[in-house]
Amino acid sequence: GSLVFAAEQGSYLTGVIAASASKSGHIGFIGGMGIDLIKAFEAGYVQGAQSVNPDIKIDSKYMGAAGDNTAWNVPDKAKAASAAMISKGADVIYAAAGGSGLGMFQAVSEAGAGHWAIGVDSDQYNVPSLAAYKDYILTSMMKRVDVAVYDVIKGVVDGAPLVGVQNFDLAKDGVGYATSNPAVNDYKAAADKAARDNATGNSRGLGIGAMNELGTLTGVTPVLPASGDAKALGKKAKQANDIQTRRSSSEVSTKPGAEGKVSKTGQCIN
């Protein structure tokens, strides 16, 4: 079967964190290729931010149009776009842009104290190649490959292997946000509440009252959270030895264009 991750839901949480952390009321988003998949990252981020501050200003820039594969590897372009946002007042920027995201980290670190970067897919605070920028990486939107691998293995062991498309959303702990940087602690309460509310359907968040807005922005319909109690994010990570956060950028693709499909060994399928 295919394992897919509800990236728009994880991005909603990063939007909550970004708006909560912003002092200027102005944040940004850097996308890779301008396709519906990446627009869903943006949509979740925008909606999460607006749930905290309806008047927040959000800049957005894509590194290439649909079909332009160079969009995933133009860090200089992403750096210039991020610097332009910062010059206009943005103090938190989220990138879902593959290798281009490096430029966002560079621009934010050069802007200095009071500016934050948000990573994607894995805990980029702990990626060795980004160590020079880690003090500016507030959090990352996490696709919980560890949870997915655990569930796949458990299904086989229990004699009930997962088949078909398996959606790992907030209700399944399939997406979340990284907490490696202690600075994010100030915003955990808001993000955790948003996660619980979205996972149980007790929110105007993704899939609830603002679905029309989200569909208008992206042209796609995000997968709705399943109903039921939200489990504490990351509990299953210990059982799977936290596969996701231990992988380097070379072991787990950070290319959002390869979104959501992994093999039973936990490797992303491009």
Side-chain angles (χ1 to χ4, degrees):
S2 298
L3 311 183
V4 299
F5 296 86
E8 74 283 350
Q9 294 183 19
S11 296
Y12 183 95
L13 303 186
T14 66
V16 169
I17 292 170
S20 299
S22 177
K23 306 301 182 186
S24 64
H26 186 171
I27 61 177
F29 174 81
I30 297 292
M33 189 186 294
I35 54 178
D36 287 347
L37 178 64
I38 306 307
K39 290 179 182 179
F41 283 73
E42 178 191 4
Y45 178 66
V46 167
Q47 196 174 2
Q50 290 176 340
S51 75
V52 174
N53 176 5
D55 299 319
I56 195 164
K57 182 176 181 180
I58 307 171
D59 292 334
S60 177
K61 182 71 175 179
Y62 284 82
M63 298 300 97
D68 181 3
N69 288 321
T70 68
W72 306 117
N73 195 29
V74 283
D76 289 347
K77 185 175 181 179
K79 181 178 180 179
S82 300
M85 293 178 186
I86 292 169
S87 71
K88 295 176 182 178
D91 55 2
V92 185
I93 302 179
Y94 173 39
S100 297
L102 172 63
M104 182 275 290
F105 292 123
Q106 292 171 335
V108 170
S109 66
E110 290 180 10
H115 297 84
W116 290 112
I118 295 178
V120 72
D121 290 351
S122 64
D123 186 356
Q124 295 195 288
Y125 181 88
N126 286 327
V127 172
S129 62
L130 297 175
Y133 316 109
K134 67 184 299 181
D135 289 344
Y136 295 94
I137 302 176
L138 179 60
T139 187
S140 298
M141 192 285 287
M142 298 277 287
K143 290 187 292 188
R144 302 303 302 264
V145 176
D146 53 330
V147 172
V149 171
Y150 173 81
D151 283 358
V152 167
I153 295 172
K154 184 176 185 299
V156 172
V157 171
D158 292 346
L162 301 180
V163 296
V165 177
Q166 299 293 321
N167 183 50
F168 285 84
D169 56 11
L170 282 171
K172 289 186 176 180
D173 300 342
V175 291
Y177 66 95
T179 59
S180 295
N181 189 339
V184 80
N185 290 342
D186 290 342
Y187 316 111
K188 284 181 64 176
D192 289 348
K193 182 179 186 302
R196 289 192 302 270
D197 288 348
N198 275 289
T200 58
N202 295 325
S203 169
R204 285 194 72 256
L206 294 173
I208 314 299
M211 177 63 81
N212 290 337
E213 174 189 346
L214 197 61
T216 298
L217 178 59
T218 66
V220 298
T221 302
V223 178
L224 299 183
S227 61
D229 293 334
K231 296 169 286 186
L233 292 173
K235 287 294 185 182
K236 290 182 181 178
K238 294 180 180 178
Q239 297 167 301
N241 295 317
D242 208 2
I243 293 170
Q244 176 74 352
T245 56
R246 290 188 180 187
R247 294 189 187 276
S248 68
S249 58
S250 65
E251 292 173 319
V252 170
S253 170
T254 57
K255 175 182 172 184
E259 178 61 21
K261 292 189 178 181
V262 299
S263 70
K264 290 186 178 180
T265 61
Q267 293 292 331
C268 289
I269 300 172
N270 293 326

